[in-house]
Amino acid sequence: MTVQPARRQRRTKAAGSDYTAANIQVLEGLQAVRKRPGMYIGSTDARGLHQLVWELVDNSIDEAMANVATRMEVTIHADGSVEVVDDGRGIPVGKHASGKDALEVVHTVLHAGGKFGGGGYKVSGGLHGVGVSVVNALSTHLRVEVLREGKRWLQEYTDGGKPTGKVRQSGGRAEANRGLDPTWDRRSGTRTIFRPDPTVFETLDYSWETLTTRLRESAYLNKGLWIRLVDHRADREKIFYFEGGVTSFVRHLNRRRDVLNARPIHVERLVDTTSVEVALQYNDGFAETVLAFANNIHTVDGGTHVTGFRAALTGSLNDWARKAGVLSERDTNLTGDDVREGLTAVISVKLTDPQFEGQTKAKLGNADVKGAVQQVVADGIIQHLEENPADGRRIIEKSLTAARAREAARKARDLVIRKGALDGMALPGKLADCQERDPARSELYIVEGDSAGGSAKQGRDRRFQAVLPLRGKLLNVEKARLDRVLSSENIRPLIIALGAGIGDQFDIGKLRYHRICLLSDADVDGAHISTLLLTFFYRHMPEVIESGYLYICQPPLFRVSTGKVTRYAKDDKERDQAVKELSREGKTKNVSVQRFKGLGEMNAEQLWETTMNPDTRTLLQVSVGDAAETDEVFSTLMGERVEPRRDFIRGEARKVRNLDF
């Protein structure tokens, strides 16, 4: 993967004169969605494919938040179609002001729905009114069935949302509930089945893990909601139901960690028209895990509800610690960073008029929510600690230890910065820097070992490719605070080479390379080194991952050659295919296969040709799909506790086909 600078095009008078009234297009109906699907669902890759499911799931969840639905089912059929069923009120049917049936309007007209203040919903996750109509537009076939007042209404659409006929009434409850869980006697609700358009999406393969994570999350956030997921492709199913709500969610997130307060602190209250529910629990780790939701939408960039929570957490812990005598008068207040070390929390607010920043709804902007959350959380924490003072002492003691470590880290960071300044901002001696100074055109290869580092330095394109070899055992930052990270002989040169600082002083704008490539051997040891580096970036420079700047190289495992023709293969399957093709092309038997035991066995030319040449290499971009799941994986695989790691390995062992890649 490579990014080439766009070529400048000369503006000409002739080009401008071609722009006339005839160039103005008006897209009718759902044509705009099919023309630019990314504008409505974000992308046409796996994320966009799953977004179609979320649009329907969110509609059912909105019914649950309105207290008119208690169950829902999501089914992946063997043919790739997806079905979502709920026992809500059912989409309205009947003649609409437009002259069409209301059911058809909802499915064929953008920005049509019951979430714009018409009284249909007090609280909902989506306010754009494009959900189900977009699903219809991007499907080859969609059928909707509505059960209302004992009658079953249905309509079908094909070819991107075109009705095959009018809304018709056919049957009643028996027909509407056919094929569902026999214990589920729905009296009302909506049932939708759709098949994504293969000409729109890059993949039609739904991920069981992705669906499971999202639906489990929805069940946690809506306690008492019963959700069933069925996958007919592999004959499997899961059921999610949690009476504990966000408290159960926090317990789930911490289930593989040692916790400081056995019973999570839980608060739930209605402030005016805003519902606030928060659960928090401390573990003995160093990372902070705070998941925030507004009307069930995961606000990954936080917002006013997170700001209010943090203010309440810091203030209430300091107030209680002084009142209880854990902090003396001469002690300085604990900072937000101190009290958030080892914190796991889930924040869920439900409000009538959510104001999100940006189309992606990643950040909540309602100003009044900050005060509501701060008031509720502060009162709840104080009450819990007064009733459970032992929990309070453990939390404050951990925060004090974090404060001391933070001061040690500050001194170590200042030393790193000061050393760089005294050396004229000298870069690490082992770094072979590139000539390019534009970060957007610069690449840094972090290479395992001096031998491979030497080959990479010789084989690289020094105009835009820099190489930093790593030697010795890399520090596992999951088990270390920032002060130890900064004193590591392996990690400190990397921090200096990247040039953007670390921790609360990290500045993505100062990053010297916008393509950071992890290059290690294609074996178990190499995978371990890559995992250690991934842990470092995820815990201490998450902005690098969020910005899409981190990549994993894919060096080949085999070299297949006839003497005249050479091919490279990354696994056994590609090796066998190369041997077969070369044997057929040459009609001889002299095909040799070399297995690379490490990068050091490749000369500079081979490493360039297979792994560093932008025209031929394969780079895997690192991204975070689900924050809670990612955090759990790092904690399980890289944390202190052995038992969760052993259980994870035993559970995943059956999926391993070739342990040595």
Side-chain angles (χ1 to χ4, degrees):
M1 183 185 301
T2 184
V3 178
Q4 298 289 348
R7 293 183 178 178
R8 294 178 178 267
Q9 294 183 345
R10 290 187 303 167
R11 297 180 181 177
T12 63
K13 185 176 180 180
S17 62
D18 291 338
Y19 186 56
T20 66
N23 297 112
I24 305 300
Q25 291 182 319
V26 178
L27 300 179
E28 300 291 340
L30 300 178
Q31 293 178 345
V33 181
R34 296 188 61 82
K35 187 76 172 178
R36 295 286 186 269
M39 293 178 60
Y40 297 87
I41 58 171
S43 66
T44 56
D45 56 11
R47 290 175 297 175
L49 180 72
H50 288 82
Q51 185 60 38
L52 299 186
V53 183
W54 308 148
E55 295 290 351
L56 295 178
V57 166
D58 286 347
N59 286 341
S60 298
I61 294 295
D62 287 344
E63 291 287 284
M65 287 197 292
N67 295 318
V68 291
T70 60
R71 296 177 65 158
M72 64 179 293
E73 286 190 6
V74 178
T75 303
I76 314 169
H77 293 284
D79 64 355
S81 61
V82 178
E83 184 175 1
V84 179
V85 190
D86 65 50
D87 62 352
R89 292 166 290 188
I91 299 174
V93 294
K95 189 172 182 179
H96 185 260
S98 64
K100 298 180 180 179
D101 193 284
L103 186 65
E104 182 174 330
V105 171
V106 167
H107 285 80
T108 59
V109 179
L110 293 176
H111 309 291
K115 304 174 186 178
F116 298 99
Y121 295 87
K122 291 184 178 179
V123 174
S124 68
L127 293 176
H128 298 306
V130 298
V132 69
S133 58
V134 167
V135 176
N136 197 13
L138 301 179
S139 300
T140 59
H141 180 266
L142 184 145
R143 185 179 79 239
V144 57
E145 299 180 8
V146 172
L147 179 60
R148 290 174 67 96
E149 300 174 353
K151 296 181 180 180
R152 172 176 174 256
W153 304 84
L154 57 90
Q155 188 174 33
E156 297 187 48
Y157 313 84
T158 60
D159 300 327
K162 300 174 183 176
T164 61
K166 294 184 178 181
V167 177
R168 67 184 190 277
Q169 193 267 316
S170 175
R173 283 168 56 189
E175 291 81 5
N177 293 331
R178 185 177 292 125
L180 299 179
D181 187 314
T183 65
W184 193 12
D185 183 22
R186 289 192 314 150
R187 298 177 181 273
S188 62
T190 302
R191 184 175 190 167
T192 306
I193 182 169
F194 70 94
R195 185 179 294 111
D197 191 337
T199 66
V200 173
F201 294 96
E202 301 168 19
T203 176
L204 298 180
D205 186 21
Y206 282 100
S207 165
W208 172 259
E209 289 74 19
T210 300
L211 294 170
T212 297
T213 299
R214 175 66 179 268
L215 293 177
R216 179 190 294 113
E217 185 179 276
S218 297
Y220 279 129
L221 295 171
N222 298 274
K223 54 187 173 185
L225 176 62
W226 187 93
I227 302 178
R228 181 182 183 222
L229 172 63
V230 181
D231 187 353
H232 288 309
R233 301 171 304 176
D235 191 24
R236 56 189 172 184
E237 73 171 70
K238 279 192 176 182
I239 293 176
F240 308 102
Y241 179 84
F242 305 106
E243 287 286 358
V246 297
T247 300
S248 298
F249 200 170
V250 166
R251 289 186 187 275
H252 171 76
L253 295 172
N254 272 340
R255 71 188 187 281
R256 290 175 175 166
R257 302 181 175 107
D258 292 325
V259 298
L260 274 63
N261 52 312
R263 182 166 65 91
I265 300 173
H266 175 259
V267 293
E268 184 176 11
R269 192 189 307 170
L270 184 67
V271 179
D272 295 328
T273 59
T274 299
S275 169
V276 178
E277 185 177 12
V278 175
L280 62 107
Q281 186 179 44
Y282 281 85
N283 59 66
D284 62 352
F286 308 127
E288 171 195 0
T289 302
V290 175
L291 304 181
F293 301 86
N295 290 6
N296 286 310
I297 295 171
H298 186 193
T299 47
V300 293
D301 293 336
T304 51
H305 51 339
V306 176
T307 303
F309 168 79
R310 288 181 169 175
L313 181 71
T314 306
S316 58
L317 287 180
N318 276 296
D319 290 345
W320 181 86
R322 294 199 180 280
K323 182 179 178 181
V326 184
L327 279 180
S328 66
E329 289 298 326
R330 64 176 181 273
D331 291 329
T332 59
N333 271 350
L334 296 167
T335 70
D337 289 335
D338 300 333
V339 301
R340 292 198 299 269
E341 183 181 278
L343 170 69
T344 299
V346 175
I347 307 164
S348 176
V349 296
K350 296 175 181 177
L351 56 161
T352 56
D353 186 22
Q355 304 297 321
F356 296 103
E357 296 183 14
Q359 187 77 4
T360 58
K361 305 179 184 178
K363 190 173 183 179
L364 184 67
N366 297 65
D368 58 326
V369 172
K370 175 182 179 296
V373 173
Q374 186 170 349
Q375 174 190 340
V376 172
V377 173
D379 292 345
I381 290 177
I382 292 294
Q383 179 179 344
H384 179 95
L385 297 186
E386 288 179 348
E387 296 172 355
N388 303 271
D391 286 353
R393 284 191 292 270
R394 284 190 292 268
I395 292 171
I396 299 303
E397 287 169 2
K398 180 176 177 61
S399 299
L400 287 170
T401 303
R404 290 189 288 269
R406 179 174 54 83
E407 179 61 20
R410 184 191 63 78
K411 293 178 180 178
R413 183 170 53 232
D414 290 346
L415 179 62
V416 171
I417 297 173
R418 187 163 59 251
K419 183 178 184 298
L422 291 173
D423 292 342
M425 295 308 291
L427 293 170
K430 288 186 174 295
L431 173 69
D433 206 6
C434 58
Q435 298 168 358
E436 180 63 61
R437 289 296 173 262
D438 181 357
R441 302 184 182 185
S442 302
E443 303 178 350
L444 173 65
Y445 280 81
I446 304 173
V447 186
E448 171 193 353
D450 285 338
S451 177
S455 295
K457 288 178 181 180
Q458 294 177 37
R460 69 185 174 125
D461 187 330
R462 64 183 64 243
R463 293 175 300 173
F464 64 95
Q465 291 178 326
V467 175
L468 178 65
L470 296 180
R471 183 175 60 183
K473 184 179 180 181
L474 197 70
L475 176 69
N476 179 4
V477 302
E478 190 70 16
K479 302 179 181 180
R481 286 189 172 92
L482 185 57
D483 56 325
R484 280 195 60 203
V485 172
L486 288 167
S487 63
S488 169
E489 293 298 327
N490 258 323
I491 295 182
R492 190 169 64 249
L494 175 58
I495 298 171
I496 296 174
L498 294 174
I502 191 171
D504 56 4
Q505 294 187 1
F506 181 83
D507 184 355
I508 193 72
K510 296 180 179 179
L511 194 67
R512 301 180 65 245
Y513 313 93
H514 284 186
R515 193 173 286 107
I516 302 168
C517 310
L518 310 185
L519 177 55
S520 59
D521 292 341
D523 59 12
V524 173
D525 289 338
H528 183 221
I529 291 172
S530 293
T531 303
L532 289 167
L533 284 166
L534 287 172
T535 307
F536 165 74
F537 280 103
Y538 179 71
R539 291 303 189 197
H540 293 289
M541 296 184 181
E543 296 92 341
V544 171
I545 301 176
E546 294 165 4
S547 300
Y549 295 159
L550 189 62
Y551 298 81
I552 298 177
C553 300
Q554 294 289 283
L557 196 56
F558 299 100
R559 178 177 181 268
V560 184
S561 177
T562 62
K564 295 182 179 179
V565 180
T566 298
R567 294 189 184 179
Y568 295 92
K570 68 175 184 293
D571 53 30
D572 292 347
K573 183 178 179 181
E574 287 192 2
R575 175 202 60 194
D576 295 342
Q577 183 65 23
V579 170
K580 181 178 179 180
E581 292 178 357
L582 290 180
S583 298
R584 183 171 61 247
E585 292 173 5
K587 300 180 180 179
T588 66
K589 301 178 181 178
N590 298 324
V591 177
S592 64
V593 178
Q594 175 190 0
R595 187 184 190 282
F596 297 113
K597 295 181 180 179
L599 296 171
E601 293 188 358
M602 291 187 189
N603 59 39
E605 183 179 351
Q606 291 173 332
L607 194 58
W608 163 258
E609 181 181 352
T610 63
T611 314
M612 302 182 74
N613 184 349
D615 295 330
T616 58
R617 70 187 177 189
T618 299
L619 293 178
L620 302 181
Q621 189 177 44
V622 179
S623 62
V624 175
D626 181 82
E629 184 180 10
T630 303
D631 184 78
E632 179 186 348
V633 169
F634 277 112
S635 298
T636 300
L637 297 183
M638 311 303 290
E640 292 281 1
R641 297 186 64 194
V642 175
E643 294 81 4
R645 183 158 49 250
R646 182 179 60 222
D647 294 342
F648 178 88
I649 293 172
R650 285 175 175 172
E652 299 295 316
R654 65 182 183 276
K655 300 179 182 178
V656 176
R657 294 293 178 266
N658 187 344
L659 187 60
D660 201 28
F661 290 72

